[in-house]
Amino acid sequence: MDVTDVPTSFLTRRTRPTTADQFSFNQHEFLKGGSQKETEDLMLATLKESISLPGRMICLLHPWQDPVPFRRVWCLYEMYTAFKLGAQITFQFPPNDAEGFYSKLVAVGETVALVPTIEAREAQATLESDRIRIFDEIRSSIGMESFNSQLQAY
């Protein structure tokens, strides 16, 4: 999916900056130089700042049938961080996904039948160590069940 597919109506009606993860940073770029602890600290500080300064982020739900952000550990961690910081998250379908979702909604008649169950524990990461560290933090803070509930309620 190309981020240029984001509806311009979303972008033009906003007056405050919004975090768009694709433009924030690549966590694997932080692995160059420095100790593991320094790298992790810098990476997490950058993530928190990129969410807290605008106080809002957009999460693109693509493909609508099984959105990638709910299957990737780092995407979930960004949502967890936004929840913790009190940042607003806007979930947005790109235009083609919105068309597919809404035409299916008309046929089925209820959104519950269309939205897959969100289960954060099934999310994947490129590095298993990232997955373990992120899940450990969520578990020790609010717990996985509570996190899943927050995602589903949002």
Side-chain angles (χ1 to χ4, degrees), residues 91-152:
F91 292 99
Q92 180 78 42
F93 290 117
N96 289 341
D97 289 291
E99 279 181 38
F101 178 81
Y102 291 115
S103 63
K104 189 73 167 184
L105 177 60
V106 168
V108 173
E110 61 178 308
T111 57
V112 175
L114 298 178
V115 180
T117 302
I118 297 169
E119 177 50 69
R121 286 176 281 238
E122 295 176 6
Q124 300 299 310
T126 303
L127 301 175
E128 184 61 19
S129 59
D130 286 350
R131 185 176 189 274
I132 292 167
R133 185 180 71 244
I134 288 169
F135 284 174
D136 283 349
E137 181 176 336
I138 294 171
R139 269 190 218 92
S140 68
S141 174
I142 62 171
M144 294 303 284
E145 290 302 320
S146 177
F147 181 55
N148 279 335
S149 295
Q150 283 184 339
L151 288 171
Q152 292 164 1

Side-chain angles (χ1 to χ4, degrees), residues 61-72:
L61 301 178
H62 172 78
W64 72 264
Q65 302 93 332
D66 188 19
V68 170
F70 298 127
R71 292 186 279 126
R72 301 297 305 157

